[in-house]
Amino acid sequence: MDSPAATPFSTLIRTASHAQHTEAENSSFMSNMLGGRLAVTAYRRYTEQLWFVYRALESAATALADDPVAGPFIQPELARTTQLERDLAHLGGPDWRTHLSALPATRAYAARIEECARTWPAGYVAHHYTRYLGDLSGGQIIRGTAEKTWGFARKGDGVRFYVFEGIGNPAAFKREYRALLDALPLDDLEKQQVIGECKRAFALNTAVFRELGDEFPLSA
């Protein structure tokens, strides 16, 4: 049996957070949205919450670009805020910002990202990992569902958040990203703390789904 030291960190972080990842994916809101059982207004509200989360992630990018821990993960081809704003303009019209509001769980999620960005770059990496690798993987399922359910053009306005035009080979990019995780200059204790933060990120995300589910319950 491999010792923890022999197991790549990218494997450790994936397996340790599997239960939290599954819980987030199987939330009632996400299940209903992926099942095509919700109106486009629910999708728009979800996209609004993503804007707050990614604004928190990406507003820290410049300050962390030269950080030895977080810096290698700051890659412009991942940036999503501009795409989210284009989607929100499509979904809500040119004045979409005037009715934008964060759910309490979203505010807590964004605040934790901002705190890690200020005080703990390795914790920021945990949030970066849970978001962007998820977008490159399961996010593509959401894109396909949205196109089919609400009639968005394939990879067009409304789903541009899920389209990474700067990444020609997502599988290769994810391999390179995991190699960066494996190369993180952290001791074993901080690696365990990063795994804990990854679990926390999924829990924060699940809390957002829970509040969205309360806002958009299925009709009886």
Side-chain angles (χ1 to χ4, degrees):
M1 180 177 179
D2 288 344
S3 68
T7 304
F9 184 55
S10 59
T11 301
L12 289 175
I13 198 170
R14 185 179 72 249
T15 55
S17 60
H18 177 73
Q20 289 79 11
H21 191 179
T22 300
E23 181 182 5
E25 286 182 333
N26 293 333
S27 68
S28 61
F29 175 81
M30 187 55 66
S31 296
N32 288 332
M33 190 168 72
L34 290 176
R37 294 185 290 274
L38 296 176
V40 70
T41 51
Y43 175 75
R44 184 180 74 189
R45 189 76 168 120
Y46 170 59
T47 305
E48 290 174 356
Q49 304 315 299
L50 291 176
W51 181 82
F52 288 101
V53 171
Y54 283 85
R55 186 180 62 165
L57 273 169
E58 293 172 6
S59 63
T62 300
L64 288 171
D66 294 326
D67 183 84
V69 173
F73 295 88
I74 307 299
Q75 303 182 47
E77 59 267 42
L78 286 173
R80 299 289 88 200
T81 302
T82 298
Q83 287 78 9
L84 280 166
E85 291 177 352
R86 185 164 176 178
D87 286 340
L88 287 168
H90 182 73
L91 292 163
D95 63 342
W96 62 270
R97 290 178 187 271
T98 64
H99 49 72
L100 191 69
S101 64
L103 292 164
T106 303
R107 290 197 295 271
Y109 191 179
R112 180 57 184 170
I113 293 170
E114 291 165 352
E115 181 182 8
C116 287
R118 288 192 309 270
T119 65
W120 184 29
Y124 173 86
V125 170
H127 289 276
H128 195 280
Y129 160 77
T130 58
R131 293 299 340 171
Y132 292 108
L133 252 62
D135 300 334
L136 284 164
S137 301
Q140 302 312 303
I141 298 171
I142 299 175
R143 176 180 63 79
T145 297
E147 291 168 354
K148 178 180 178 181
T149 304
W150 301 298
F152 300 125
R154 185 174 183 272
K155 296 187 176 182
D157 289 347
V159 294
R160 291 191 182 276
F161 168 72
Y162 303 100
V163 181
F164 290 80
E165 293 181 343
I167 298 176
N169 187 332
F173 185 93
K174 287 185 282 187
R175 284 195 299 271
E176 293 166 3
Y177 191 104
R178 293 187 182 104
L180 290 175
L181 289 172
D182 295 337
L184 276 168
L186 307 176
D187 60 25
D188 288 343
L189 175 60
E190 192 165 14
K191 285 181 178 179
Q192 289 303 312
Q193 291 170 336
V194 169
I195 288 171
E197 190 65 27
C198 182
K199 293 179 179 180
R200 182 173 183 172
F202 280 118
L204 288 163
N205 191 50
T206 299
V208 174
F209 288 155
R210 189 177 302 117
E211 291 186 6
L212 284 166
D214 292 342
E215 192 170 314
F216 295 97
L218 283 177
S219 300

